[in-house]
Amino acid sequence: MSQRHSDSSLEEKLLEYRFHSELRLDARGNPASGLPMVRGALQLRDNEGFQLDTSVPPSVSPKDEEPRAVVLSTQSPAALKMGTQQLIPRSLAVSSKAKTPARHQSFGAAVLSKEAARRDPRLLSAPSFSLDDMDVDAGPGGALRRNLRNRSYRAAMKGLEAPGGERGPLQLSPKLQALAEEPSQPPARCPAKNKRTLGRKRAHKGSFKDDPRFYQEIRERGLNTSHESDDDLLDEPSSPDGTGKADAPIVVKSYRPAQITWSQLPEVVESGILDRLPAEERKRQEAIFEILTSEFSYQHSLGILVAEFLQSGELQATMTQMERHHLFSNILDVLSASQRFFEALEQRHKAQVCVEDISDILEEHAEQHFHPYVAYCSNEVYQQRALQRLMSSNAAFHEALREIEKRPACGGLPMISFLILPMQRVTRLPLLTDTLCLKSQGHPERYKAASRALKAISKLVRRCNEGAHKMERTEQMYTLHTQLDFGKVKSLPLISASRWLLKRGELSVVEETGLFRKLASRPTCYLFLFNDVLVVTKKKSEDSFVVQDYAQVDHIRVQKTEASDPSLLGGGGSRGSSVPHPFQVTLLHNSEGRQEKILLSSDSASDRARWIVALTHKERQSPANKGDLPQVEVTKAYLAKQADEITLQQADVVLVLEQEDGWFYGERLRDGETGWFPEDFARCITSRVAVEGNVRRMERLRVETDV
């Protein structure tokens, strides 16, 4: 308390000294020839509410310098001539802006606020006032009249009034208290954003179909990997008045419109069923309703793809019929299948407030109506190639596409995000169905039905993956068959239905022995690693390679080495300094039936690790206890750029098997696919409960797929 009085006294002295030293005025506001005084006659003529008592501070010793004539703006001829209006310098005024009202504060208050805030940080939280926030009305006779909203301002100025409520002329006296500036804060977009609303405490008006959302912008709760999912939030008790603590921080990582839940439906709230429904059954209803609403968003986005892109005359005029078929494939059949599926779900939803089950609908459509997904996913490789070719070599297509993507109906989303929707939906359905299984464990019959639905959907996903891989691998093998020239090396029948490419790339040859002395003139080689054979070539051009040797993968041994190892570098220490990331490949039985060794070098540690993993893929065994492996959740989609990489979608969970130089090598939870991807596209899952739950989910999905 004493510190506070000391600061106040110091502030008063600061202001008093400033005015005494700069303004040499008498009590009437005229220049004084002797002692300096503070201003006492600043009169606002037509606003008597601001006229306060005048007090003359004690005089100080006169200065030796001659007084300077100072004419106040209120006493200037211009002000006296204009009456209630006065002229002020242009530099002291700013034009008002309706969007961002300026904060007004007196110079004295601003000076004191900085000094006071430096001594007492608590003053930083003191609110400031703004003249723009005042409601000023014209009273009788044109006099100004304050509204009730101005009470805070009058309270702030109360200390300037004379005792007994008598008002006198306004003076800038040392009694003026400092008003600290508050940090500017952007206004809230909507009052509801600052409130915590949990499940059943908030009811939505109308239907979930009134405000359709893009499927690209939603993430189903059934995909959550955290142990604290949205279902847990539904169980969180709220305060009696329906609101949480006023100071409870709410962090929003990325803005998404609120997604309605089953508990918020008007018909559910009005029925009163929430008061007597068990928590587990409510979670099961939420899982059922989420499948319905996500299918509606998915169908809405597919409709945008068809209406804005497929049926666009401008876009169609820029490409051939074959290119159009490769780009959109059978998307109309996929949309029709989605519409039938949604209609069946919606009919069940309208018939019952609490839906009995939807597992039979899931199983029926996965087995009988979702075959268009297999054809669409099988066309993925042609689709990507067609889009890439059109974007790079067809200026008319690129311009037309850019104009379409700017339309409000597309929501600022690129066409590629619409084209991959069927692949995203078909891979999310098993996870959503698995969530339904978990919520149905308390009811044996429902759990069996959900398990059958999960089995049917998992088989569908496997067929989609196999179709996509088959088309891609077949075309790839035909292309490589025309690019590889076996020359004098015994020819190898390359094209086979059971053969596909695992990895390809150019490496430096560190040591040449035997057959590999042929590469001495150019110390590089280009490797093609298939699932069953390794082909060593010399690159002639981008699409032409001369085969040097090959060996079956079963007859290959790989050893990681270091540049400082003299035993593998022929004793040449200086040679090892130029080999950054070496590894040795031994062909136990090459094309001529002999053993050959070759020492290779990669440009980076991650590239060497990727080659070693690819060359030893048959020797690698899956860890027995996958719960001990680290897990990551994909935060943004990644499109594979090389054969040994894996394409990932947002919210995919991956078991990390290897980690090297900014890259992860892992196994995707939902289907067991393995590959490399950058660390920047994922975040580690630290919750032990979530890790164990993911392992159990993976085991369930694999069992259903293998049956």
Side-chain angles (χ1 to χ4, degrees):
M1 182 66 71
S2 60
Q3 177 68 26
R4 207 179 315 168
H5 286 301
S6 175
D7 292 341
S8 177
S9 176
L10 183 60
E11 296 163 9
E12 295 173 0
K13 292 179 179 179
L14 174 65
L15 182 62
E16 179 179 357
Y17 174 77
R18 183 176 185 85
F19 286 127
H20 286 187
S21 61
E22 294 186 3
L23 301 178
R24 306 175 62 84
L25 308 173
D26 58 18
R28 301 182 60 183
N30 297 321
S33 59
L35 301 177
M37 298 182 182
V38 296
R39 289 178 291 179
L42 270 176
Q43 298 182 359
L44 301 180
R45 304 192 173 198
D46 286 342
N47 198 343
E48 295 181 357
F50 287 97
Q51 296 179 2
L52 305 178
D53 184 34
T54 304
S55 60
V56 180
S59 62
V60 297
S61 300
K63 305 290 183 179
D64 296 334
E65 62 183 13
E66 293 296 330
R68 292 180 301 172
V70 178
V71 180
L72 298 181
S73 61
T74 53
Q75 302 295 329
S76 65
L80 296 176
K81 180 179 180 180
M82 299 298 294
T84 60
Q85 301 178 359
Q86 70 177 43
L87 300 179
I88 62 174
R90 181 183 299 272
S91 60
L92 298 182
V94 293
S95 59
S96 60
K97 298 180 181 179
K99 294 184 178 179
T100 55
R103 293 287 180 180
H104 300 280
Q105 198 174 36
S106 67
F107 174 78
V111 171
L112 290 179
S113 66
K114 296 178 181 178
E115 184 68 17
R118 185 178 66 84
R119 295 186 175 90
D120 192 354
R122 289 173 296 181
L123 289 176
L124 285 175
S125 60
S128 64
F129 62 90
S130 170
L131 298 182
D132 292 337
D133 295 333
M134 297 168 54
D135 286 344
V136 183
D137 300 329
L144 296 179
R145 181 185 63 191
R146 299 187 190 87
N147 206 329
L148 295 178
R149 290 179 58 189
N150 196 26
R151 289 180 178 177
S152 60
Y153 178 77
R154 282 183 290 177
M157 300 296 294
K158 188 175 181 180
L160 300 178
E161 295 182 0
E166 184 179 356
R167 305 175 189 175
L170 175 66
Q171 75 164 14
L172 296 177
S173 70
K175 297 296 184 181
L176 183 62
Q177 299 297 319
L179 294 179
E181 296 180 359
E182 61 178 355
S184 60
Q185 298 179 356
R189 294 188 179 184
C190 176
K193 298 295 182 185
N194 300 325
K195 300 179 180 179
R196 182 186 293 273
T197 52
L198 303 173
R200 57 188 299 177
K201 292 297 180 181
R202 178 182 63 187
H204 283 249
K205 297 181 179 180
S207 170
F208 66 91
K209 299 170 64 176
D210 294 340
D211 186 19
R213 304 172 60 197
F214 290 101
Y215 190 69
Q216 298 95 314
E217 297 180 343
I218 71 170
R219 176 184 170 185
E220 296 91 332
R221 298 177 189 83
L223 306 180
N224 280 357
T225 60
S226 172
H227 66 285
E228 184 182 9
S229 64
D230 290 344
D231 289 334
D232 300 323
L233 290 177
L234 294 174
D235 294 335
E236 182 179 341
S238 58
S239 57
D241 59 353
T243 60
K245 295 181 180 180
D247 57 350
I250 300 177
V251 179
V252 180
K253 293 184 178 180
S254 59
Y255 173 74
R256 290 290 184 272
Q259 187 175 4
I260 187 173
T261 63
W262 177 80
S263 301
Q264 298 166 352
L265 291 174
E267 57 267 29
V268 174
V269 175
E270 293 171 1
S271 67
I273 196 173
L274 294 175
D275 297 329
R276 58 181 185 274
L277 199 65
E280 289 302 318
E281 176 60 22
R282 182 156 60 92
K283 292 179 181 180
R284 192 180 74 90
Q285 292 297 324
E286 296 288 359
I288 292 175
F289 184 69
E290 184 172 46
I291 296 177
L292 170 69
T293 55
S294 62
E295 187 66 27
F296 176 71
S297 297
Y298 166 66
Q299 177 184 312
H300 167 70
S301 295
L302 284 185
I304 298 296
L305 173 61
V306 171
E308 300 296 332
F309 297 98
L310 175 64
Q311 297 178 350
S312 170
E314 298 87 349
L315 198 64
Q316 186 174 354
T318 63
M319 53 182 167
T320 65
Q321 188 65 26
M322 181 62 68
E323 290 173 332
R324 184 170 181 266
H325 174 71
H326 284 165
L327 198 58
F328 298 104
S329 187
N330 62 328
I331 190 62
L332 291 176
D333 297 334
V334 174
L335 176 59
S336 179
S338 173
Q339 291 172 341
R340 289 196 300 268
F341 180 49
F342 174 75
E343 289 171 0
L345 293 173
E346 186 181 29
Q347 184 178 1
R348 186 73 56 88
H349 168 69
K350 289 181 177 179
Q352 304 167 330
V353 176
C354 278
V355 179
E356 181 68 20
D357 201 6
I358 63 169
S359 298
D360 57 326
I361 299 177
L362 291 169
E363 182 180 6
E364 175 189 352
H365 283 259
E367 292 180 345
Q368 301 180 17
H369 305 298
F370 281 171
H371 56 273
Y373 283 94
V374 179
Y376 190 89
C377 293
S378 301
N379 182 65
E380 182 181 7
V381 60
Y382 299 103
Q383 181 185 75
Q384 294 178 358
R385 186 182 296 111
L387 180 59
Q388 184 179 12
R389 182 174 60 252
L390 289 170
M391 292 292 290
S392 60
S393 61
N394 191 329
F397 173 87
H398 187 274
E399 182 64 24
L401 179 61
R402 186 176 62 176
E403 292 300 322
I404 295 175
E405 290 175 344
K406 291 180 181 179
R407 296 175 182 175
C410 299
L413 298 171
M415 185 179 67
I416 184 62
S417 70
F418 292 93
L419 291 175
I420 64 175
L421 287 175
M423 280 79 80
Q424 290 181 341
R425 183 59 176 172
V426 78
T427 53
R428 290 184 184 183
L429 278 177
L431 302 178
L432 297 175
T433 309
D434 180 65
T435 300
L436 181 59
C437 285
L438 292 177
K439 308 305 180 186
S440 305
Q441 288 180 336
H443 196 289
E445 292 301 322
R446 291 174 180 170
Y447 181 76
K448 290 180 181 179
S451 298
R452 291 194 302 268
L454 177 60
K455 175 182 176 181
I457 293 178
S458 299
K459 285 185 176 180
L460 171 69
V461 174
R462 184 177 61 182
R463 291 171 56 199
C464 290
N465 288 336
E466 290 176 351
H469 291 159
K470 183 179 179 180
M471 296 296 291
E472 179 181 7
R473 292 168 180 173
T474 301
E475 186 192 24
Q476 190 177 58
M477 295 308 297
Y478 272 103
T479 302
L480 292 177
H481 176 71
T482 62
Q483 294 179 349
L484 297 181
D485 179 14
F486 281 84
K488 298 180 180 180
V489 180
K490 182 180 178 181
S491 181
L492 175 71
L494 199 60
I495 298 178
S496 173
S498 59
R499 179 175 294 148
W500 62 88
L501 183 69
L502 294 179
K503 186 172 178 59
R504 59 183 291 179
E506 193 169 27
L507 295 167
S508 299
V509 179
V510 179
E511 183 179 57
E512 306 86 20
T513 61
L515 180 63
F516 292 99
R517 287 173 184 159
K518 301 175 184 178
L519 302 176
S521 59
R522 185 182 180 187
T524 60
C525 66
Y526 201 98
L527 303 185
F528 289 89
L529 176 62
F530 300 94
N531 62 311
D532 60 342
V533 64
L534 172 66
V535 180
V536 183
T537 71
K538 179 181 179 180
K539 183 177 180 181
K540 295 178 61 178
S541 64
E542 291 298 328
D543 55 358
S544 178
F545 305 87
V546 178
V547 177
Q548 300 291 319
D549 203 358
Y550 60 83
Q552 297 294 320
V553 172
D554 294 335
H555 299 156
I556 293 176
R557 297 294 180 266
V558 183
Q559 181 181 359
K560 178 182 177 181
T561 63
E562 298 299 335
S564 58
D565 189 351
S567 62
L568 295 175
L569 296 175
S574 60
R575 186 186 223 178
S577 61
S578 61
V579 183
H581 307 286
F583 64 99
Q584 182 175 268
V585 178
T586 302
L587 309 182
L588 300 177
H589 191 276
N590 68 350
S591 59
E592 298 179 357
R594 296 184 293 105
Q595 177 175 319
E596 289 289 341
K597 291 184 179 181
I598 179 171
L599 190 62
L600 304 172
S601 174
S602 300
D603 294 334
S604 64
S606 61
D607 191 39
R608 177 176 64 177
R610 291 169 64 167
W611 272 109
I612 293 176
V613 168
L615 289 166
T616 60
H617 73 278
K618 283 197 172 183
E619 304 173 11
R620 306 177 67 87
Q621 296 181 354
S622 181
N625 189 3
K626 295 187 177 182
D628 296 335
L629 295 175
Q631 298 181 8
V632 296
E633 181 182 16
V634 178
T635 56
K636 51 185 176 181
Y638 178 72
L639 182 63
K641 299 176 178 60
Q642 298 185 28
D644 64 334
E645 296 179 3
I646 185 172
T647 296
L648 297 171
Q649 300 176 11
Q650 187 178 11
D652 272 344
V653 177
V654 183
L655 303 178
V656 179
L657 305 176
E658 298 279 347
Q659 183 177 2
E660 186 72 45
D661 195 23
W663 286 80
F664 283 137
Y665 175 73
E667 179 181 347
R668 191 166 54 198
L669 179 146
R670 54 181 167 88
D671 56 8
E673 290 286 333
T674 59
W676 293 86
F677 61 97
E679 291 181 0
D680 297 341
F681 285 75
R683 64 175 179 87
C684 292
I685 300 175
T686 58
S687 169
R688 188 63 191 173
V689 176
V691 169
E692 294 175 352
N694 289 334
V695 172
R696 290 192 296 269
R697 165 176 276 190
M698 179 184 64
E699 293 173 350
R700 288 193 304 270
L701 294 175
R702 304 291 169 78
V703 169
E704 298 299 341
T705 304
D706 296 338
V707 173

